[in-house]
Structures are given as structure tokens and as C-alpha cells.
Amino acid sequence: MQIENPKRYSLGAMIFHWLIAVLVIVNWRIAESAEHLEGAAKGAVFANHKALGMLILALTLGRLAWRFAHPLPKLPNNYAPWERILARTTHVLFYLLLVGLPLGGWLASSLVERPIDFFGLFTIPVLPVGMNTDLGGTIFDFHKTAGTIMIYLIALHILGALKHTFVDKDLGIFRMLPFGGKARQ
């Protein structure tokens, strides 16, 4: 939903955005730190990665619900048509990855019959898909590749925000911050 008025995202959207962004980067670093571990140590680190992934999924679903209930600011008028397309495409890809990565990880874990321990609070059971270690391994490989794509997408997103803020001087980054310059319409 879009309306003409707001120049910034709502406070709720800002909180979801920054919380999810930090958790995604932390989760990526957790996965990277586990790559060279073996056995129980690797399993313990990946247990945290999986639990955090499920938290990211829950927050993303909350963010999507928030987004549909609250108006989005229009893109500034100074955006070129290709920038508008790139901005919208990037946001769609973010949502697909923020939902797809945790679901894919949960599916892969289910295929190797490993339930997800949610930080010792409760266990997320395996999906009723049966055991298939080959398919589980293939999905884990896709999951890793999609995670790498997510990191590149984050870098593109940051570069775009910096470009609009400091090169175009439309203060684009302040659309997602509750303070600072006045973002242009």
C-alpha cells in the first residue's frame, strides 16, 4: 500500500528493518564461523544458526503483516526509472530470501531428521517429509548459495542508500531512520 504523504517508513517498519538486518548479518557470521569446525562443536554453532533463522522468519512474517497494514512512503521523484525497478526488485528478493532461507533450512533439517532447538526454550519439530539425506544435502547447498546472494543483496542495498544520501543528496537513508535529515519526496 502506498499513499502520497509519508516521507519516512513507520517506526514499526524501522524497528523490523534494523532488527532483521542485524540478525541476518549475525546469523551469516555464525554460519561462517561454523564452516571449519567439526563434530559436536559444529553442531552446536549450527543449532544457534538454525534457531536464529527461525526467529528471522517469525520477524519477517511480522514485518510483512506490518507492511500490509501501514502505508509505505513513495519513492522520491528524483529516482530514475531503472532505480525504481531495482529498488522494488531488491525488496521483493529480500522478502523471498528472508522467508525462503529459513524455510529451506527447516526443510533440509527435516529431511535429515534433525529438529530445531529454539535456544533451549522449545523444539521445532521436523516437517513430515520423511528422511532423504541426499535431498537434504542438496537443499543445504542451495541454502548456502542463497545466503551468499543475500549478503550481496545487502551490500547492493547499502550502496544504494549511501548513493542516494551522499551523491544524490536526497537523504534516502533517513527514510528508514527516525531521526536526521528530511528525506525528499
Side-chain angles (χ1 to χ4, degrees):
M1 169 173 33
Q2 281 191 322
I3 63 174
E4 300 285 330
N5 245 351
K7 293 182 179 179
R8 293 179 196 256
Y9 284 86
S10 66
L11 182 60
M14 291 179 197
I15 291 168
F16 275 120
H17 175 273
W18 291 107
L19 182 58
I20 291 169
V22 168
L23 293 177
V24 165
I25 291 168
V26 166
N27 213 23
W28 167 61
R29 293 305 308 143
I30 288 170
E32 289 292 311
S33 72
E35 282 298 313
H36 303 293
L37 298 176
E38 297 292 330
K42 186 173 190 167
V45 172
F46 270 116
N48 289 326
H49 173 76
K50 292 175 185 181
L52 199 52
M54 297 308 281
L55 177 59
I56 290 166
L57 174 61
L59 288 169
T60 300
L61 295 176
R63 181 175 181 180
L64 284 167
W66 183 272
R67 181 178 178 142
F68 289 122
H70 295 82
L72 294 175
K74 277 181 62 174
L75 290 173
N77 294 327
N78 65 312
Y79 280 28
W82 69 268
E83 288 174 310
R84 291 175 178 281
I85 292 168
L86 185 59
R88 294 293 181 224
T89 301
T90 299
H91 282 104
V92 167
L93 289 174
F94 270 133
Y95 283 117
L96 288 173
L97 289 169
L98 287 168
V99 171
L101 277 164
L103 288 179
W106 187 13
L107 176 60
S109 291
S110 296
L111 287 165
V112 296
E113 295 187 345
R114 290 190 194 126
I116 298 171
D117 174 59
F118 193 79
F119 303 113
L121 299 173
F122 56 88
T123 299
I124 300 169
V126 298
L127 296 167
V129 292
M131 179 135 175
N132 186 332
T133 54
D134 290 339
L135 181 56
T138 299
I139 293 172
F140 277 131
D141 289 342
F142 279 122
H143 179 84
K144 184 176 179 179
T145 300
T148 301
I149 291 168
M150 172 69 92
I151 296 305
Y152 288 129
L153 203 57
I154 290 169
L156 176 66
H157 186 63
I158 291 169
L159 288 172
L162 293 173
K163 174 201 177 280
H164 284 287
T165 301
F166 299 111
V167 176
D168 297 342
K169 307 245 190 260
D170 65 15
L171 303 175
I173 199 168
F174 295 104
R175 291 164 41 89
M176 193 49 87
L177 292 172
F179 54 84
K182 298 198 185 231
R184 195 186 305 172
Q185 184 63 28

